[in-house]
Amino acid sequence: MLIAGNWKMYKTPSETEAFCAQFEPPAGVDVVICPPFTSLREAVAGGVTVYAQNVHWEDEGAFTGEVSAPMLLELGVSGAIVGHSERRQHFGETDETVAKRAAHALGAGLGVIACVGESEEERESGVTADVLRRQVAVLEPHDRLVIAYEPVWAIGTGKIATHDQVQEAHALIKSLVDVPVLYGGSCKPDNVEPVFAERDVDGALVGGASLQVESFTAICEAAARIRS
Ligand code: PGA
């Protein structure tokens, strides 16, 4: 199992140091922290495996506001999230840019967590499978690629998907590309166990609950328990 904490736009460098000083990843689970760019150095120094929250598809160039794979690698960063729904919603990320970011990062030696997932409207109109097929089709299989299934309606809403919905989506994704699949969307220590017990769930991408050492540790421990 892999548990990744997506800190989004939270935690300054000193807050990152404080988290890492307190946090001890439990045995039996792989743990990744994804801080903002400005806190990557502190997280790496804190001894955890660190992924960025985004990465560009060129090594350098006139791309104001972007960060490249060689820049991350020099800091000791191991990978990056690409295609998070907040980037798709607010920053114009498309399946095409997600594919370019993922392919370049993997080629450069980084790990990638590529996010996919349907909106509430798409689920209600019965097109979830089509959306997932379209989003996954652009991703090439790779041994450092992980996909995160994050239904948009479950992110930050407190409304976790049911374990049946999760299993169905994960099985579909794995039938399209044979890589580990994480679930993301309102994971909390008291609701993750039924999801973790599903056959095609290989871990979680955790937002809000990854910001406190206690709740993040509890989710990591639940993952370690379920496969032990
Ligand atoms: P959440 O976020 O756990 O706060 O719902 C998950 C994510 O956006 O990756």
Side-chain angles (χ1 to χ4, degrees), residues 6 8 84 86 150 154-157 184-188 205-208:
N6 173 15
K8 310 192 178 189
H84 190 278
E86 286 151 16
E150 298 204 304
I155 295 178
T157 58
S186 295
C187 287
K188 308 288 174 217
L205 182 55
V206 183

Side-chain angles (χ1 to χ4, degrees), residues 46-90:
V48 287
T49 303
V50 178
Y51 275 32
Q53 295 174 16
N54 196 12
V55 59
H56 197 259
W57 58 81
E58 296 286 346
D59 285 346
E60 58 182 11
F63 299 105
T64 303
E66 292 282 331
V67 166
S68 74
M71 294 168 182
L72 297 175
L73 286 162
E74 190 172 318
L75 276 184
V77 171
S78 307
I81 298 173
V82 301
H84 190 278
S85 70
E86 286 151 16
R87 301 236 28 111
R88 294 179 191 255
Q89 261 178 288
H90 306 304

